[in-house]
Amino acid sequence: MLTFAFDVGETIIRDDRYWAAWADWLDLPHHTLSALVGAVVAQGRDNADALRLLRPGIDLEAEYEAREAAGRGERIQEDDIYPDVRPALIALRAAGHRLVIAGNQTTRAAHLLRALDLPVDAIATSGEWGVAKPDPRFFDRLVEFAGTPPDRIVYVGDHPANDVAPAKAAGLRAAHIRRGPWGHLWADTPAAAAADWRISTLSELAAIVT
C-alpha cells in the first residue's frame, strides 16, 4: 500500500475565499487582484507578488496579524473543499492507503483543516514545520511525518515547481493535478510531465493505483 500526501491550495481547497478576503481587507476590486494573481503565476513568480504590486512595500506578515486581530483572518470552510476531495479520500482509505495532508500554509490553516474532519491520518503545514516547499527539507520532514519510505509516497499537487520537481528529487512519486492557475497554466511543461501521473480530478487516483 502507499501513502498519499496532498498539497492544500488548489488541490484540496479552492483559493477563492483566500484571495477575496485579501481584496476586501485592502479595499481592492476582486477582479483586479485575481487578474494580477494570474499575471504573476504566468511569470513564474510567487502569487503573493500580486499583493506587492498593488501595495508596494506591504508587510504581509503584519497585515495578516492585523486581519486576525480584527476578526477578519484566515478561514477555511466546508464549501472551500473541492467536491471530489471527500469521495476520493474515502475511496483511497477504503483501499488501505495511508493519507496525509501537507502544504505551504500557516499554522492557523493547519488548525482550520483539522476542524474539517477530513478522512485523513494526519495534517501538517509549512507554518508548523518552519520550512516551505520547494525546500528539500520540507520533503525530508514529510517522509518522517508520513512514516513511509520515500518511494511509497505519492505527493499530489498542482504546482510543478513546488510539488512535482522537489518531490521527485526527494525520491517520492508525484501526481500533478490540472486545476487552479498553476495547474492549468503549467500543465504542459516539462516540469509537469516529470510527474508519474497526470490527473484532472482526485477521483482518478484510486483507479491509477489499482
Side-chain angles (χ1 to χ4, degrees):
M1 295 301 171
L2 301 171
T3 291
F4 285 87
F6 296 89
D7 175 41
V8 179
E10 296 301 342
T11 298
I12 296 293
I13 63 170
R14 299 161 55 105
D15 283 343
D16 305 52
R17 188 190 306 276
Y18 176 85
W19 291 112
W22 271 112
D24 291 340
W25 176 253
L26 297 174
D27 194 24
L28 299 168
H30 288 199
H31 175 69
T32 300
L33 181 54
S34 294
L36 282 175
V37 169
V40 298
V41 166
Q43 295 170 1
R45 296 163 59 181
D46 181 353
N47 52 19
D49 283 348
L51 295 171
R52 299 183 181 102
L53 286 170
L54 290 164
R55 291 288 187 272
I58 189 173
D59 184 334
L60 290 176
E61 184 175 346
E63 292 292 341
Y64 180 89
E65 292 174 358
R67 283 180 54 195
E68 294 292 338
R72 296 173 60 184
E74 194 169 8
R75 289 189 297 152
I76 302 175
Q77 298 177 338
E78 184 66 29
D79 59 355
D80 295 314
I81 303 172
Y82 274 103
D84 61 340
V85 170
R86 286 190 184 275
L89 296 178
I90 290 169
L92 290 169
R93 173 170 270 187
H97 301 294
R98 178 170 168 77
L99 310 177
V100 301
I101 294 174
N104 281 356
Q105 266 71 37
T106 63
T107 299
R108 174 166 171 73
H111 297 308
L112 294 170
L113 287 165
R114 292 182 187 117
L116 294 172
D117 196 27
L118 290 163
V120 298
D121 296 288
I123 295 172
T125 64
S126 59
E128 294 179 311
W129 288 350
V131 62
K133 300 178 294 183
D135 191 315
R137 292 174 297 170
F138 177 95
F139 291 91
D140 292 340
R141 189 67 184 270
L142 173 59
V143 171
E144 179 184 356
F145 180 67
T148 308
D151 64 351
R152 302 299 296 169
I153 300 173
V154 179
Y155 194 78
V156 185
D158 64 299
H159 195 311
N162 279 2
D163 299 330
V164 175
K168 295 290 290 180
L172 283 64
R173 305 184 195 185
H176 178 256
I177 186 164
R178 184 173 185 149
R179 68 179 171 204
W182 286 102
H184 283 286
L185 185 63
W186 299 98
D188 297 322
T189 62
D196 297 276
W197 300 280
R198 302 171 77 180
I199 59 176
S200 296
T201 71
L202 296 182
S203 302
E204 296 172 55
L205 292 173
I208 286 170
V209 294
T210 301

